[in-house]
Amino acid sequence: MTVYFVSRHDGAQRWARIIQKQSGWPRPIDAYVEHLDVQSVRKGDIVIGTLPLRDIAELRSRGAEFYALDLQVPPQWRGQELTATHMAACNATLTQYRVTVRDTLDLLAPRKPRAAKVSAPVTVMLVSQE
C-alpha cells in the first residue's frame, strides 16, 4: 500500500509534512507528487489532495481510497499561492469522498437529424373579385 499526497503547491506540501511530523495522518505519506498517474495506483493505495472528479472516480474503480484536501479560503486569498500558515488558517481538513460516474453526455457527438414534421395537406385557393 502506498500513500500519495498530490499537490503542485509548495505550501500544501509543506503543510502536509508539518501535519505528518505532528502525527496528524492516519498513515505515513510515502510519496509527495505534483501530478498523479492514476494508472499507477493500485488497490489499497490512499491518495490525498485535490484531483479532477473523473480521476477520483477512476481511483475508486481501481480500489484506492481518496481524501480531498478541503480548505475554507477567504475571497481575498483566492487565486494566490497559500503558505502552510495560510492553510492552517483556512481550516484545512481531509474529507473522504466517494465519487462514481453516473452518466456521461458526449456534447461533441454528431446529432441525428430530426425527421421533418409532416403536417396534414393544405389546400390553397385564390379568391378574387376580378
Side-chain angles (χ1 to χ4, degrees), residues 68-89:
L69 176 57
D70 287 339
L71 302 169
Q72 298 171 9
V73 181
Q76 66 270 21
W77 288 357
R78 292 185 185 147
Q80 58 183 298
E81 289 290 323
L82 301 179
T83 65
T85 304
H86 286 125
M87 292 187 60

Side-chain angles (χ1 to χ4, degrees), residues 12-56:
Q13 289 192 10
R14 183 167 297 200
W15 172 84
R17 284 184 171 95
I18 291 168
I19 297 298
Q20 184 171 359
K21 284 181 183 177
Q22 296 174 350
S23 300
W25 296 121
R27 293 185 178 88
I29 296 172
D30 300 306
Y32 290 85
V33 296
E34 289 187 10
H35 299 282
L36 181 69
D37 176 10
V38 177
Q39 300 302 316
S40 68
V41 176
R42 306 211 183 284
K43 183 177 182 175
D45 286 352
I46 298 173
V47 178
I48 301 165
T50 305
L51 295 173
L53 293 174
R54 70 178 172 275
D55 289 351
I56 299 168

